[in-house]
Amino acid sequence: MDIKELLHKAIYQAAQAAVAEGVFAIHELPQVILEVPPKKEFGDFATNFSMQAARAAKTNPRVIAEAIVARMQETWLEKAVIAGPGFINFYLKSDWLYTMLNDILSQGENYGNSKTDAKERVQVEYVSANPTGPLHVGHGRGAAVGSALVNLLKAAGYDVASEYYINDAGNQIDNLAASVHARYLELLGQKIEFPEDGYHGQDIIDTAQRILDKAGDSYLSMPVSERLAVFKEIALQEKLAALKEDLAAFNVQFDVWFSECTLHQSGALQETCQVLKNNGSIYEQEGALWLKSTAYGDDKDRVVIRDNGIPTYLAADIAYHRNKLERGFDQLINIWGADHHGYICRVKAAIGSLGYSPEQLEVLIVQMVSLYRSGQLVKMSKRTGQSVTLSELIEEVGTDAARFFFIMRSLDSQLDFDLDLAKSKSNENPVYYIQYAYARIASIFRQAAEDGILLEDLDAVKLSLLTSECEVDLIKKLGEYQEEIADAAKERAPHRIARYAHDLAGQFHTFYNQCRIKGVEQDLQLARMALAKAVQTTIRHALGILGISVPEKM
């Protein structure tokens, strides 16, 4: 149990004892909320518990505060001081710092991971871009945030799985086939009328060229419908392979790749519509089938099956989400682009219509990304004249910088991505700043090893020698990491881990500049090396969550 848990428990038990002794009466004690005071002279932790309880107890908050302080006799507590209308400031004995640091060191690579009996199964679906062309930078932000969220939830002890929904059915795939077919004919010298909704990227021409190089004009002997079917399969597999390659280069892996086609082929879509018909959630009007989504707050009912019998995208999405829930997932987290905001209500309505709670679906909206170079907005790729692709961004700034810059801001805020800053090797570049702290610690241990000084028996290290202000601050910062992970996971906020890693690196750089490690008395050197070791392990864990590498040298 860490110090905050101990303090929580001690406050609560003291309050319970005061109630039992008749000091004040209250039906239910409020939650204990601890904060780190803005100034060090106000202690290590503070709580407004007395004021929260006073409302329900209908008594003076200072009476409650005095009762709690009088009943707290913990060995790790130096003193508790009542301030203002009833705040309690807690001053802890220095021993707890060293106990905490020793615990962090003993956990090693596992520090930051929570072991819980997770009964709730969570699925995170993200990216899910149409496999009709390369991923662009907007997809990249969703990919970075989604994969970091999965890593974060796993570290926090959640039972979590990741999934990519392949939109391999519908008009967009037909348009893909038609586009490749048109370019194929064009390469053979035929005059063509390019499809109105076709895809104009260079990648379509490249696909057509590869078909031509492999099979020549042999496909011309096929009926057009058969030719289009073959081109659809070739193009889909090629685009999907390229998409997977881009994501792998971006440190993004999925547990499941789910094909939309399987919903059509298995009859799951039709079966789902029948379930909704049977329970009265779908009605027929003007030859089409409509979902009663207004029953769940949507502004209008939505078409599920058109009057020509063709399912809408919503029909497939309903069947897909039913499939997810039938696989035993308790909570679904979907990460969608900003243009999907209006779609949330209708999918939640579908889930409710299927007999599940709409709250089992949580949708996170990723806002737009704007690229800047030399202070100017970058709208198009220099190479292709089209949207900048994820692979081009990785080529320019690297995977680590791209991932960190995508993650470091809350996903619901628009992101201005400074390409020049992302490439710079300076302390102004946040990912460089963090990685440099890690590499600097690695250098410390290499130099110490050359001098024959090894950090072997951690239990024998005299951590109590770490008494300077920057050392104490650094230990306290390390102690916040476990709670930071838990809070970030609850808030679905991997940007908090990016911010924590940057703050920790900053405090380490301050420590390094103020506290000599080499050339001091050996016990102090070992204590400072142990502190550096804990920082290094924590940075590695945090950057691991973010999907970013930890270089030994820079």
Side-chain angles (χ1 to χ4, degrees):
M1 188 179 294
D2 67 24
I3 194 65
K4 285 190 76 172
E5 289 180 88
L6 288 171
L7 192 49
H8 269 103
K9 186 177 180 182
I11 294 168
Y12 200 78
Q13 288 178 338
Q16 285 180 315
V19 171
E21 294 167 28
V23 178
F24 61 93
I26 190 170
H27 177 65
E28 184 177 351
L29 290 170
Q31 182 182 0
V32 177
I33 298 174
L34 292 172
E35 294 182 345
V36 176
K39 295 183 179 179
K40 293 177 183 178
E41 56 262 36
F42 295 149
D44 296 295
F45 295 102
T47 185
N48 66 349
F49 177 85
S50 302
M51 289 178 285
Q52 296 296 321
R55 294 193 187 103
K58 296 180 180 178
T59 190
N60 190 316
R62 287 189 70 94
V63 171
I64 297 176
E66 288 167 1
I68 291 172
V69 170
R71 286 161 180 79
M72 290 185 67
Q73 306 296 327
E74 319 311 314
T75 57
W76 39 262
L77 183 62
E78 185 71 40
K79 62 180 178 178
V81 177
I82 301 169
F87 288 101
I88 308 176
N89 295 332
F90 298 97
Y91 298 77
L92 308 179
K93 292 180 180 177
S94 58
D95 294 2
W96 76 271
L97 278 172
Y98 310 120
T99 301
M100 181 176 69
L101 178 55
N102 185 65
D103 185 50
I104 291 169
L105 288 164
S106 65
Q107 289 184 56
E109 301 299 323
N110 288 319
Y111 181 58
N113 293 333
S114 293
K115 290 183 179 179
T116 61
D117 297 325
K119 295 177 181 177
E120 185 180 68
R121 295 185 65 214
V122 180
Q123 187 218 53
V124 182
E125 182 220 326
Y126 61 103
V127 186
S128 297
N130 291 340
T132 54
L135 297 173
H136 56 65
V137 292
H139 297 131
R141 188 179 190 190
V145 171
S147 56
L149 178 59
V150 170
N151 295 336
L152 172 60
L153 291 171
K154 287 179 179 178
Y158 290 72
D159 180 4
V160 60
S162 60
E163 187 153 312
Y164 190 113
Y165 180 57
I166 309 169
N167 298 101
D168 52 3
N171 290 336
Q172 76 278 3
I173 302 301
D174 291 336
N175 290 336
L176 172 65
S179 302
V180 172
H181 178 244
R183 294 304 187 196
Y184 174 76
L185 295 178
E186 191 175 56
L187 289 170
L188 285 169
Q190 296 190 22
K191 289 186 177 181
I192 56 110
E193 185 175 334
F194 200 77
E196 183 179 348
D197 296 322
Y199 298 101
H200 294 266
Q202 178 62 39
D203 61 298
I204 300 296
I205 299 172
D206 294 341
T207 297
Q209 184 66 59
R210 280 188 284 271
I211 292 173
L212 182 62
D213 292 343
K214 185 174 182 179
D217 63 358
S218 62
Y219 286 113
L220 294 180
S221 62
M222 278 186 177
V224 173
S225 60
E226 290 182 22
R227 193 188 311 155
L228 284 169
V230 172
F231 283 15
K232 178 191 291 188
E233 186 62 26
I234 292 173
L236 179 61
Q237 293 307 314
E238 185 177 285
K239 300 307 170 199
L240 195 56
L243 190 149
K244 289 182 177 181
E245 185 178 338
D246 284 350
L247 289 171
F250 203 46
N251 294 337
V252 177
Q253 303 288 341
F254 289 92
D255 297 314
V256 173
W257 293 78
F258 189 98
S259 165
E260 181 188 345
C261 274
T262 61
L263 296 171
H264 297 264
Q265 295 164 356
S266 67
L269 192 148
Q270 294 76 12
E271 182 186 324
T272 300
C273 287
Q274 190 61 51
V275 168
L276 293 174
K277 274 186 185 178
N278 293 344
N279 68 21
S281 297
I282 277 182
Y283 63 91
E284 185 173 343
Q285 182 176 305
E286 298 177 354
L289 295 181
W290 297 71
L291 175 71
K292 294 180 181 177
S293 54
T294 51
Y296 292 88
D298 199 0
D299 59 342
K300 62 181 180 180
D301 291 342
R302 304 290 173 172
V303 176
V304 177
I305 305 293
R306 299 181 182 91
D307 56 8
N308 60 5
I310 297 175
T312 63
Y313 286 119
L314 179 58
D317 281 334
I318 297 171
Y320 177 46
H321 284 81
R322 177 177 176 235
N323 176 282
K324 291 183 181 188
L325 292 162
E326 287 185 340
R327 279 186 270 156
F329 291 110
D330 303 293
Q331 188 68 30
L332 308 177
I333 300 174
N334 291 356
I335 299 179
W336 291 347
D339 55 339
H340 284 70
H341 193 278
Y343 202 68
I344 298 172
C345 191
R346 66 195 74 169
V347 179
K348 280 181 170 284
I351 287 175
S353 299
L354 288 165
Y356 298 95
S357 168
E359 298 310 306
Q360 286 180 261
L361 173 64
E362 182 179 352
V363 178
L364 307 179
I365 295 294
V366 179
Q367 292 298 331
M368 303 293 287
V369 178
S370 298
L371 299 178
Y372 286 85
R373 184 184 290 112
S374 303
Q376 299 297 312
L377 180 65
V378 178
K379 292 185 177 180
M380 297 293 177
S381 163
K382 290 181 180 179
R383 186 181 306 166
T384 65
Q386 297 177 309
S387 296
V388 178
T389 65
L390 177 59
S391 62
E392 287 175 316
L393 180 68
I394 294 172
E395 184 181 330
E396 180 167 354
V397 306
T399 293
D400 288 342
R403 285 188 64 94
F404 192 91
F405 275 61
F406 280 142
I407 297 167
M408 69 179 181
R409 299 277 182 265
S410 173
L411 57 85
D412 58 3
S413 61
Q414 184 159 332
L415 176 65
D416 292 339
F417 192 119
D418 187 333
L419 293 165
D420 300 311
L421 180 60
K423 289 186 288 185
S424 71
K425 292 179 170 54
S426 70
N427 288 341
E428 283 69 41
N429 180 347
V431 68
Y432 179 87
Y433 187 66
I434 298 166
Q435 290 178 319
Y436 183 57
Y438 185 92
R440 177 173 260 179
I441 296 169
S443 175
I444 289 168
F445 280 93
R446 284 195 299 272
Q447 291 176 28
E450 290 172 5
D451 295 338
I453 299 172
L454 303 175
L455 191 64
E456 294 177 315
D457 187 1
L458 288 172
D459 291 332
V461 176
K462 297 176 182 178
L463 299 176
S464 60
L465 295 174
L466 302 170
T467 58
S468 71
E469 184 177 358
C470 63
E471 289 168 329
V472 169
D473 288 346
L474 190 51
I475 297 170
K476 287 181 178 179
K477 189 66 182 179
L478 287 166
E480 295 172 9
Y481 184 53
Q482 196 83 53
E483 186 175 11
E484 189 68 38
I485 285 180
D487 290 345
K490 286 177 187 174
E491 295 176 17
R492 319 304 197 214
H495 71 276
R496 290 186 55 157
I497 303 304
R499 183 177 62 205
Y500 174 88
H502 190 263
D503 291 346
L504 179 62
Q507 288 192 215
F508 172 76
H509 289 307
T510 298
F511 157 74
Y512 181 84
N513 292 328
Q514 293 183 10
C515 299
R516 290 179 61 192
I517 297 177
K518 186 176 180 181
V520 296
E521 187 268 328
Q522 187 164 336
D523 283 343
L524 180 58
Q525 179 174 354
L526 288 172
R528 287 176 173 170
M529 285 174 63
L531 177 55
K533 181 72 173 177
V535 173
Q536 185 184 43
T537 302
T538 306
I539 288 177
R540 180 162 58 244
H541 191 277
L543 292 187
I545 287 175
L546 303 180
I548 293 169
S549 68
V550 282
E552 295 290 320
K553 294 180 180 180
M554 290 181 72

